[in-house]
Amino acid sequence: MRIGLYPGTFDPITLGHIDIIRRAAMMVDRLVIGVAINRDKGPLFSLEERVAMIEAECAKLSEQTGSEIVAHPFENLLIDCANDVGAQIILRGLRAVADFEYEYQMVGMNRMLDDSVETAFLMADAKHQAIASKLVKEIARLDGDVSKFVTPAVNKALLDRLGKR
């Protein structure tokens, strides 16, 4: 069974994430969405809320791709998470060259920790390249329309959380 790991904070999950998840799921039999706890980032949504959003958004994708897609919270090293879930490959989305520089360093470190786990990059679709969860939250906080960047359910959750309804 080919198992892939797509890690991130997903605070919140965006259309860019969903695009990468859909494409990654077509490459593996089981795609684990690693939801980073990362207390240092101070997420807007709790771990439980982020996992629930991912599960809701990925249910349809699992049917469409024929791959099992599951959310898996983690707080340890990414390479340890990959081993915990039996992933042979870590899948990462890239939006721009700046993303690549950071990811390149991560791949090197992960390979030194465990060279049996491969990393593959998926380029963000052109229409999703500018989408970043951090920017989506900021736009929503400042009363901007984020409906072009997230699903209707996530948009509602954002507006509810920020008291914009």
Side-chain angles (χ1 to χ4, degrees):
M1 177 180 250
R2 293 170 302 161
I3 300 172
L5 172 64
Y6 176 46
T9 306
F10 305 102
D11 185 44
I13 188 169
T14 67
L15 294 177
H17 292 130
I18 292 169
D19 176 58
I20 296 293
I21 291 167
R22 180 187 53 77
R23 292 167 41 217
M26 292 188 291
M27 300 170 67
V28 296
D29 302 304
R30 182 173 202 249
L31 181 63
V32 178
I33 311 301
V35 186
I37 294 172
N38 201 342
R39 299 175 204 288
D40 295 336
K41 283 192 173 182
L44 179 64
F45 293 99
S46 71
L47 175 65
E48 294 76 18
E49 290 168 322
R50 290 181 284 141
V51 167
M53 280 190 253
I54 290 166
E55 289 173 344
E57 297 300 332
C58 291
K60 294 174 229 138
L61 291 176
S62 189
E63 291 175 23
Q64 292 170 359
T65 63
S67 293
E68 179 186 11
I69 302 173
V70 297
H72 175 80
F74 75 101
E75 194 170 22
N76 53 345
L77 290 172
L78 176 57
I79 202 71
D80 291 337
C81 178
N83 287 318
D84 291 347
V85 301
Q88 298 92 2
I89 186 167
I90 296 169
L91 297 149
R92 299 292 288 166
L94 295 177
R95 292 173 298 197
V97 173
D99 287 347
F100 181 77
E101 290 177 28
Y102 171 77
E103 295 295 340
Y104 183 79
Q105 285 183 305
M106 287 289 294
V107 169
M109 296 298 285
N110 285 336
R111 288 192 68 79
M112 290 176 73
L113 293 170
D114 183 347
D115 66 358
S116 71
V117 179
E118 193 59 62
T119 299
F121 299 112
L122 296 173
M123 292 301 301
D125 186 278
K127 65 185 173 200
H128 300 304
Q129 284 182 351
I131 301 174
S133 293
K134 180 180 178 178
L135 296 176
V136 168
K137 289 184 289 193
E138 186 168 340
I139 291 166
R141 275 189 192 104
L142 298 172
D143 297 324
D145 179 11
V146 295
S147 62
K148 295 176 183 170
F149 311 123
V150 296
T151 65
V154 172
N155 190 31
K156 181 184 181 320
L158 262 171
L159 296 175
D160 289 348
R161 175 55 42 91
L162 297 172
K164 303 292 184 178
R165 286 201 179 221

